[in-house]
Amino acid sequence: MDETAATDGIGTTPDIRTSGYYNLFNSNPFATFVLDPESLKVIEANEMAVAQYQFSREEFMQMSWPDFFSPEDRSHYLKKRTAGSLCVPRERVWKHLKKDTSILSLEITECPLHVLNKTYLIAMTHDVTDELRAKELKTKLQRQLFDAKKMET
């Protein structure tokens, strides 16, 4: 790929794929997105994001970050974003929608990323869906065990 011809999808800056960090980004085991910090448009998504969300890279490039949030989480996220914070630490579990409309429960970390004299926003997700389901099942089984013991006495 000719580095001088590459663009980030906005058409104004060099493509992050030309940086030495692209392989590290793309092979990250967590779904990771590079976003335009102003519009929140998805500029790049790594292989794990494609696998987890089931959108193609091309589909991701047509979307903005808030598109993934469930409606109730989207309004909370946008309020946080308008508060001026560039970093969103893992403060809660967010709900994201996959292509098939099933829900992912995620911890999300966002921070500025400076590449090739341009500032982007990087968003990395940690899927906790299975962990939450396991906790719910454990709680349910503990309740059933407690109720069964109570009936014995």
Side-chain angles (χ1 to χ4, degrees):
M1 174 183 280
D2 177 13
E3 290 186 30
T4 59
T7 65
D8 65 6
I10 298 171
T12 57
T13 59
D15 191 334
I16 63 167
R17 283 171 255 162
T18 63
S19 78
Y21 298 102
Y22 186 72
N23 286 336
L24 180 63
F25 162 78
N26 201 39
S27 61
N28 185 340
F30 295 101
T32 306
F33 301 83
V34 176
L35 312 170
D36 178 275
E38 293 168 15
S39 68
L40 300 176
K41 182 173 173 47
V42 176
I43 295 171
E44 188 62 66
N46 72 353
E47 289 178 7
M48 182 55 77
V50 171
Q52 192 172 54
Y53 285 75
Q54 302 168 344
F55 290 101
S56 69
R57 275 202 168 93
E58 292 74 25
E59 289 171 313
F60 276 129
M61 304 314 147
Q62 302 303 313
M63 303 173 84
S64 70
W65 186 238
D67 294 339
F68 300 107
F69 288 87
S70 67
E72 55 278 358
D73 278 4
R74 184 178 303 127
S75 62
H76 182 74
Y77 174 80
L78 290 172
K79 283 179 195 169
K80 195 161 214 25
R81 178 62 47 210
T82 56
S85 173
L86 269 183
C87 284
V88 175
R90 284 196 234 179
E91 62 178 26
R92 60 174 278 175
V93 173
W94 299 89
K95 304 290 185 204
H96 267 199
L97 302 174
K98 293 170 42 172
K99 186 174 183 175
D100 67 3
T101 69
S102 61
I103 295 175
L104 292 168
S105 297
L106 304 166
E107 293 175 336
I108 299 173
T109 303
E110 294 177 16
C111 287
L113 172 70
H114 307 287
V115 177
L116 301 172
N117 298 318
K118 171 120 172 98
T119 299
Y120 298 94
L121 191 62
I122 189 163
M124 187 166 49
T125 68
H126 176 228
D127 185 0
V128 294
T129 307
D130 291 339
E131 292 172 44
L132 292 177
R133 285 185 187 142
K135 281 183 184 179
E136 288 172 9
L137 179 59
K138 179 182 175 185
T139 300
K140 179 181 175 183
L141 292 173
Q142 286 174 329
R143 251 189 244 122
Q144 288 175 347
L145 181 61
F146 177 77
D147 290 345
K149 285 182 178 182
K150 203 160 84 170
M151 290 182 5
E152 286 178 359
T153 58

